[in-house]
Amino acid sequence: MTRAGVAPRLGVPDAVLWLSAAAGVGTLVVPAARPYTAPLLVAGVVVVAATAWPTLRPPVRRTVLAMMLAGAALCLVAGARWSDVSAAFATMCGVFSFVAVVRLLELPMLRRGYHTAIAEFTLVRLRRTRAVWSAATLTYLLSLALSFGGVALAYRSVRAMDSAADEAGSAGVVCRAFIAANLVTPLSPPLAVVLTLTGLTWTGFLPYALALGLVAAMLVPLGPVPRARALPAPRPERGRLAAGFAAMIGCVVVVLVVLEMVTPLSHPAATMTAVLLVVPLWERGTRLPARAVALARSEAGSWREQFLLFGAGGFVVAAAGRWTADGAVGRLLDAAGLPAWALLAGGALAITVLGLAGLYPLTTLIVVTTVLAPLGTGAWPALVAAAALVGTMAAFVLSPLSGLTLLVSALSGRSAVHIGLRWNLPFGLALLGAGGAAIGLFAAVT
């Protein structure tokens, strides 16, 4: 809101951004529309980049520019066609659309005070155990909305409810629990990406997701831990609000599972449909559109950055898709004679290393999954998805340039380098090692 109390108007870059997001939704829900929407999405990314460039933070500018230049060069080397490029941009913008729709789950959280209720209820009820598990459970519940806005709510709630907690403990555990949640929940953008590229559903991938989530949950205590203090008993209405939030999420998941079982919709399309069906009903329909527009306007800068980070990876994805389609990557890997576990471990490690080098983790997630998924049958696609997720989550939690560490840096006032490479280093390395070893072992015995 401005000082006059009027929401700011949407400018050219934001109008183009939301038109592109609408086209991205159409691409995910109706794949046959891709030849018509893809050129519009390429143009949308270019227009938003040209008109919103001065508003981007310097790290985001560098990342977007590096991905566009490197990706364009790779497309020339790979001989990618216009159809390859436009299809890749459509995929990336479709992922952004998924994120935008899932963010609607934050509206009832903000309006009804779910986040503060869950903070109070969880921290008090679980105080008898280690404080880290209280904060981890809280963050997991809030992160079911799975956006960086959910991270901000979780962090502020932990700080508000436990003022004795040190900054490193609060910020570190929020990062680690957010990563653990992304491995399991069907509302996770990285999970939606790998399921789309491998042709899997969330229900089919669930055993692997639960195994990864269990490994990550066991590792959450690695790193700074919030100090515990005595808290009063939670007020009864807080428990009812927390139960209401759980019921809303449960409805979304139930509708999602039904859609995946009875329709040919992809996982992102089914998830967006479930959110758009449940949340307006939960909010009784009338106030949701206005609040959604207000939320989009108030966070316009963040949306521009996310849209460009997704879109800029289109060139890289197009080059990887062309190499895969031509069989060049398959022939190279066959010549190397690498065993299955080495391919999976190498893919996860590559995502993490490239994320530390500044490449957006979701872009390398798409590239690695695009390259490795067609190379096997049976359980192979699920193993590729699991390995790619582990590498991506390690990159998000370790890289000083990831959205997660940049957000927590802004909230805590500490540098992103300090958060990623000091507070989160033990957890990130352990997740990459333990998760990679478990996936490689499974690949070796199957």
Side-chain angles (χ1 to χ4, degrees):
M1 300 292 284
T2 63
R3 283 183 294 181
V6 179
R9 294 181 179 178
L10 289 176
V12 171
D14 299 319
V16 174
L17 185 155
W18 292 114
L19 287 173
S20 300
V25 171
T27 299
L28 285 178
V29 177
V30 187
R34 176 172 291 182
Y36 309 100
T37 60
L40 298 176
L41 293 172
V42 176
V45 171
V46 173
V47 170
V48 173
T51 55
W53 195 257
T55 68
L56 305 180
R57 290 172 295 170
V60 177
R61 288 187 201 174
R62 290 193 294 269
T63 302
V64 170
L65 185 61
M67 283 197 297
M68 282 190 167
L69 292 177
L74 288 173
C75 282
L76 291 175
V77 173
R81 298 187 293 262
W82 166 250
S83 59
D84 301 323
V85 175
S86 60
F89 270 78
T91 299
M92 299 300 281
C93 294
V95 173
F96 169 80
S97 305
F98 171 86
V99 176
V101 170
V102 169
R103 284 289 291 273
L104 291 178
L105 285 169
E106 285 185 20
L107 296 179
M109 290 174 66
L110 292 169
R111 186 174 76 82
R112 300 185 182 216
Y114 284 145
H115 56 292
T116 54
I118 296 171
E120 179 178 323
F121 185 79
T122 308
L123 286 176
V124 172
R125 290 294 187 190
L126 300 182
R127 182 58 71 193
R128 294 179 182 177
T129 62
R130 296 179 63 184
V132 65
W133 292 110
S134 302
T137 305
L138 160 69
T139 310
Y140 178 77
L141 290 172
L142 292 176
S143 296
L144 282 170
L146 260 293
S147 69
F148 292 132
V151 172
L153 287 175
Y155 175 79
R156 289 168 181 156
S157 298
V158 171
R159 292 292 296 159
M161 287 303 303
D162 197 357
S163 58
D166 60 295
E167 204 71 44
S170 297
V173 77
V174 165
C175 283
R176 299 192 298 273
F178 176 78
I179 290 304
N182 263 280
L183 294 168
V184 179
T185 174
L187 306 176
S188 159
L191 183 58
V193 170
V194 296
L195 295 183
T196 300
L197 296 177
T198 56
L200 299 169
T201 63
W202 178 69
T203 49
F205 186 70
L206 191 56
Y208 300 90
L210 290 176
L212 291 178
L214 178 61
V215 169
M218 293 173 62
L219 300 176
V220 164
L222 294 177
V225 178
R227 293 189 296 266
R229 69 181 178 91
L231 292 175
R235 287 171 285 178
E237 68 270 17
R238 296 303 196 196
R240 289 194 293 271
L241 279 174
F245 174 74
M248 181 187 69
I249 295 296
C251 288
V252 171
V253 173
V254 168
V255 174
L256 163 65
V257 172
V258 171
L259 288 172
E260 286 193 343
M261 293 177 66
V262 302
T263 73
L265 290 175
S266 66
H267 173 74
T271 304
M272 290 192 296
T273 303
V275 170
L276 292 172
L277 285 173
V278 172
V279 175
L281 291 175
W282 206 268
E283 290 293 273
R284 298 179 180 87
T286 54
R287 285 167 293 210
L288 181 62
R291 290 184 63 84
V293 172
L295 178 65
R297 289 178 175 176
S298 67
E299 299 187 1
S302 171
W303 285 120
R304 292 179 204 136
E305 292 183 348
Q306 289 187 50
F307 177 71
L308 290 176
L309 285 169
F310 282 115
F315 287 120
V316 180
V317 175
R322 172 48 49 191
W323 275 322
T324 302
D326 290 343
V329 174
R331 291 192 297 272
L332 180 63
L333 294 176
D334 287 340
L338 296 175
W341 65 267
L343 289 177
L344 295 169
L349 183 61
I351 294 174
T352 304
V353 171
L354 291 172
L356 289 171
L359 197 60
Y360 195 51
L362 279 179
T363 301
T364 47
L365 163 70
I366 292 175
V367 172
V368 168
T369 307
T370 300
V371 169
L372 294 183
L375 300 181
T377 58
W380 178 257
L383 292 175
V384 170
L389 276 176
V390 167
T392 303
M393 295 302 99
F396 266 119
V397 81
L398 292 174
S399 173
L401 296 177
S402 77
L404 178 63
T405 51
L406 287 173
L407 174 62
V408 175
S409 171
L411 292 171
S412 65
R414 299 293 187 97
S415 74
V417 174
H418 189 90
I419 292 169
L421 298 180
R422 289 195 62 183
W423 289 353
N424 294 334
L425 185 62
F427 172 78
L429 293 180
L431 177 63
L432 188 61
I439 295 167
L441 179 62
F442 192 88
V445 299
T446 56

